[in-house]
Amino acid sequence: MDALMAGVLYLIIGFVVRVYPDILAGYNSLSQRDQERATNNGLPLFAFVLFCIMGVCCIISYPASIWLEMPNLTTVVPIFVTLLGVVIFIIFGNLLANRR
């Protein structure tokens, strides 16, 4: 059940980031020129897609844990998805924010 809540939370965060990219960490500390560059490079869209993929992975883990008869899967997947998502976002988000 925790995986479903985490998945829905990630989906909500994804849609909010798409509408309000200012909530991304460090986005407000960029200069106006760098914010425009990051927006033109697709940083808010990338964050939206990444959070939606993270949410879908968490939600899919719930029926997968029932089908595989592995109840521990629903506790492990949200943690793994979060850690992997943070690494991906730091690496590729930095590339998108700094690409000229």
Side-chain angles (χ1 to χ4, degrees):
M1 195 65 167
D2 295 335
L4 291 176
M5 289 187 288
V8 170
L9 180 66
Y10 282 135
L11 289 174
I12 290 170
I13 291 172
F15 285 111
V16 170
V17 165
R18 181 73 173 141
V19 176
Y20 303 107
D22 294 336
I23 67 169
L24 289 172
Y27 189 80
N28 285 332
S29 65
L30 295 173
S31 67
Q32 184 66 29
R33 183 173 160 224
D34 289 338
Q35 284 182 0
E36 291 172 2
R37 185 179 303 136
T39 303
N40 291 338
N41 289 341
L43 182 64
L45 178 65
F46 173 71
F48 165 72
V49 169
L50 182 66
F51 277 116
C52 287
I53 290 172
M54 290 168 63
V56 169
C57 287
C58 287
I59 290 172
I60 288 175
S61 72
Y62 183 73
S65 70
I66 294 171
W67 182 60
L68 295 172
E69 296 177 357
M70 297 175 63
N72 292 336
L73 190 64
T74 59
T75 58
V76 173
V77 169
I79 294 170
F80 180 72
V81 165
T82 302
L83 294 175
L84 187 64
V86 166
V87 170
I88 290 172
F89 191 75
I90 288 173
I91 293 170
F92 292 107
N94 195 15
L95 290 175
L96 286 174
N98 294 326
R99 190 173 70 184
R100 306 218 188 280

